[in-house]
Amino acid sequence: MKLWLFNRKGPSGFSASSTAEEVTDGIDGSGLTAIVTGATSGIGTETARVLALRGVHVVMGVRDIAAGKDVKETIVKEIPSAKVDAMELDLSSLASVRNFASEYNIQHHQLNILINNAGIMGTPFMLSKDNIELQFATNHLGHFLLTNLLLDTMKKTARKSGGEGRIINVSSEGHRLAYHEGIRFDKINDPSGYNGFRAYSQSKLANILHANELARRLKEDGVDITANSVHPGAIATNIIRHNSLFRSMNTILHALPGIAGKCLLKNVQQVILNFQKQRNKI
């Protein structure tokens, strides 16, 4: 039996144990198009699946195109009517981001929803192909550029459809644990003093600041697009694969007795609730 606190409903009418399917029940997303980055596992896969279940045309931005095709096949097998595409996108490469956005704008004429979900966490110090610290490059800069390159398409879609566009940055409560100066703009690529988790937190702080400023500008411009950042909750996905400490903590939490474990960790289906809580519509 789950604790009452875990099942308690909030203002949205849903609880922490509600699933994405429950939250989106009765919603018709037909005619909408969404991009989900990092859709080959975890939160990204479930987001793509549930959006497709509700009739949304989902374009998965994936680094491993073979894995993307496997996810697509799995979704279509479960949902024969699903509209799902996989396009190559390596967020650690600015050239790859530009190529993805260019190809998308050529192949597709609308974009209603952009979910910037892909990310890495706790990596040893490494540089991206553009010689930028890998976590900052992947988690923030890649998504920042992607959003900017797709923004005109989203604006045109919002004006033409009369519907509200959505931009969602998947951030983390971990943003509170960034370096003491916040984002170390002058030391992004400095290996001295590098801490894998603080660098991750720094990139998550950047996600939030990006969403906040973008929301302000969109409102100022009178554009019917919202920009938000979300904390998905405590969940174990393969984002922890780079750090042995996080993997050990995950093992301990999963070993806790039923009620305690369920109170500390969500499953992927429950996490997606955070993407829908603000409004009970797509």
Side-chain angles (χ1 to χ4, degrees):
M1 180 181 295
K2 295 181 181 179
L3 287 179
W4 169 80
L5 182 63
F6 197 60
N7 258 338
R8 185 179 62 179
K9 293 182 178 180
S12 65
F14 301 100
S15 72
S17 62
S18 298
T19 67
E21 284 198 31
E22 293 169 346
V23 174
T24 60
D25 184 39
I27 293 176
D28 183 5
S30 301
L32 301 180
T33 303
I35 289 176
V36 181
T37 68
T40 55
S41 65
I43 295 173
T45 297
E46 181 65 3
T47 301
R49 186 188 72 83
V50 175
L51 287 175
L53 179 66
R54 301 311 176 203
V56 178
H57 179 187
V58 179
V59 177
M60 303 183 299
V62 298
R63 185 171 55 84
D64 184 340
I65 197 66
K69 290 179 179 178
D70 287 344
V71 171
K72 174 183 175 178
E73 290 176 4
T74 300
I75 293 175
V76 172
K77 183 176 181 180
E78 176 191 346
I79 312 163
S81 61
K83 300 176 183 177
V84 184
D85 293 313
M87 293 179 59
E88 186 172 1
L89 172 62
D90 180 355
L91 287 155
S92 69
S93 165
L94 298 181
S96 177
V97 173
R98 290 190 177 95
N99 184 64
F100 174 92
S102 177
E103 288 297 315
Y104 181 88
N105 288 328
I106 290 172
Q107 297 178 27
H108 304 275
H109 303 293
Q110 71 172 49
L111 179 59
N112 305 90
I113 305 166
L114 172 60
I115 300 179
N116 292 320
N117 161 74
I120 55 175
M121 182 174 76
T123 64
F125 180 81
M126 291 183 281
L127 295 178
S128 71
K129 296 174 182 177
D130 302 290
N131 292 317
I132 302 168
E133 190 276 311
L134 190 61
Q135 294 190 83
F136 197 77
T138 304
N139 298 349
H140 172 58
L141 290 182
H143 282 127
F144 180 88
L145 178 60
L146 179 67
T147 302
N148 280 356
L149 294 175
L150 295 171
L151 199 52
D152 281 345
T153 299
M154 292 199 73
K155 289 179 179 179
K156 291 175 183 176
T157 300
R159 285 194 295 266
K160 184 177 180 180
S161 68
E164 182 184 271
R166 303 287 182 89
I167 298 171
I168 299 172
N169 286 351
V170 180
S171 184
S172 168
E173 275 293 319
H175 79 275
R176 303 178 189 279
L177 301 176
Y179 297 104
H180 73 274
E181 63 267 52
I183 298 176
R184 308 198 317 177
F185 289 106
D186 297 332
K187 298 180 180 179
I188 293 292
N189 293 345
D190 187 353
S192 63
Y194 174 82
N195 177 283
F197 184 72
R198 291 197 181 279
Y200 167 77
S201 300
Q202 169 181 254
S203 71
K204 296 291 100 180
L205 175 58
N207 289 156
I208 294 172
L209 296 177
H210 172 214
N212 288 354
E213 177 60 17
L214 181 56
R216 186 191 69 78
R217 295 189 182 199
L218 291 169
K219 183 177 180 179
E220 187 178 79
D221 293 342
V223 179
D224 195 13
I225 300 174
T226 63
N228 293 280
S229 54
V230 300
H231 167 57
I235 177 172
T237 66
N238 69 355
I239 194 173
I240 66 174
R241 65 190 180 278
H242 296 287
N243 191 287
S244 58
L245 174 61
F246 299 146
R247 293 197 302 271
S248 298
M249 290 172 62
N250 172 48
T251 301
I252 292 171
L253 287 172
H254 274 290
L256 291 174
I259 289 178
K262 289 177 181 178
C263 287
L264 292 172
L265 289 174
K266 291 184 178 183
N267 60 41
V268 172
Q269 290 73 25
Q270 291 165 346
V271 166
I272 311 306
L273 166 65
N274 290 275
F275 297 159
Q276 304 295 342
K277 268 188 174 178
Q278 294 186 24
R279 298 180 184 173
N280 188 20
K281 65 177 184 179
I282 294 179

